[in-house]
Amino acid sequence: AKMDWEPVLHALLGTLFTWGLTALGAALVFVGVFDRRWLDGSLGFAAGVMLAASFWSLLAPAIELAQTSGSYGKEGEYAFVPVAVGFLLGGAFVFLAEHFIPAHWNPTGQASSKKAKQKLAEEQSWRRTLLLALAVTIHNIPEGLAVGVAFGSIGSTPAATFASARNLAIAIGLQNFPEGMAVSVPLRRAGLSTSRAFMYGQLSGCVEPIAGVLGAVLVTLATPLLPYVLSFAAGAMVCVVLDDIVPETSQGPHSRLASWGAMIGFVVMMALDVGLG
């Protein structure tokens, strides 16, 4: 089969766009230090967008692909199998990746003095920020992959259109904006210089173009893998939402705001997907 480079180019452009929005979000660190309310609300929004995008832009096409492929039962009644497998693998991938982040725990157990307690709290907050930064980077890989796969799989089913791939890129860009901010602002708070906080913030998104091109190439070469790859990306995204964003926002005083942010993000993404689909 002759390699078709057009989807690869589209994937590159789409993921460069999503990276740009991550950088834009991270650049907010130059504007000033935002209050927690703002951060929690926009993180909630990002979570909602991610959940909706996982379903409409990734799982729905994955199921449709599996159904129409003819390899999962006559009517495609077993189409849920590859999707379920991919989804769970995506979640497992995120858990594994997070498992390898070293924890800075206090070896002596309890911190006695006030200063030590403060230092411990700072370390834990620093670790959480690092986790978040890593989580954002980790799930930017499947996000980039997802965009790549979406562009690469155009035309393979009625659901896999250029519009749906473009919507996914817009969606991921949309929620990359608060994510870039969610990395850079806390890092600034943790005492990094503004420019370094920005650097780390936008760095989390630079894996997307790499993953995007990879995804598009993969798909163009191996269409049967598509349901697995799409649902893998969805599983990883859902896992990050449940495991990182929800705990991060629900600990704060603005957990309800974050929840409403998520509801609004979900609706916005759903509207985007159905309206632009």
Side-chain angles (χ1 to χ4, degrees), residues 40-50 174-175 178 258 260-262 264-266 268:
D40 282 356
S42 54
L43 263 180
F45 179 82
V49 168
M50 278 164 74
L174 258 185
Q175 50 97 23
W260 272 108
I264 292 164
F266 193 93
V268 165

Side-chain angles (χ1 to χ4, degrees), residues 42-64:
S42 54
L43 263 180
F45 179 82
V49 168
M50 278 164 74
L51 283 179
S54 309
F55 179 73
W56 274 280
S57 304
L58 295 169
L59 289 175
I63 290 168
E64 196 176 353

Side-chain angles (χ1 to χ4, degrees), residues 50-142:
M50 278 164 74
L51 283 179
S54 309
F55 179 73
W56 274 280
S57 304
L58 295 169
L59 289 175
I63 290 168
E64 196 176 353
L65 271 169
Q67 276 171 339
T68 50
S69 72
S71 27
Y72 303 103
K74 271 206 269 312
E75 311 280 309
E77 61 269 33
Y78 300 115
F80 66 89
V81 176
V83 178
V85 170
F87 188 81
L88 293 172
L89 283 174
F93 168 74
V94 173
F95 275 128
L96 272 173
E98 287 181 0
H99 178 71
F100 289 113
I101 301 176
H104 287 298
W105 295 124
N106 186 12
T108 52
Q110 258 335 92
S112 46
S113 68
K114 203 169 173 186
K115 205 166 185 185
K117 270 203 180 108
Q118 194 187 350
K119 191 169 182 308
L120 185 66
E122 268 174 16
E123 260 191 0
Q124 281 176 342
S125 142
W126 169 248
R127 177 174 186 265
R128 259 223 318 283
T129 305
L130 193 72
L131 256 174
L132 189 69
L134 208 94
V136 168
T137 309
I138 288 167
H139 93 246
N140 275 346
I141 298 174

Side-chain angles (χ1 to χ4, degrees), residues 207-233:
V207 290
E208 286 192 8
I210 305 164
V213 169
L214 204 73
V217 170
L218 259 177
V219 170
T220 327
L221 296 176
T223 320
L225 284 178
L226 259 178
Y228 292 98
V229 182
L230 282 166
S231 52
F232 178 90

Side-chain angles (χ1 to χ4, degrees), residues 253-277:
H254 312 296
S255 54
R256 188 158 287 166
L257 181 77
S259 301
W260 272 108
M263 301 286 286
I264 292 164
F266 193 93
V267 171
V268 165
M269 182 55 220
M270 178 171 67
L272 261 180
D273 230 324
V274 179
L276 296 175

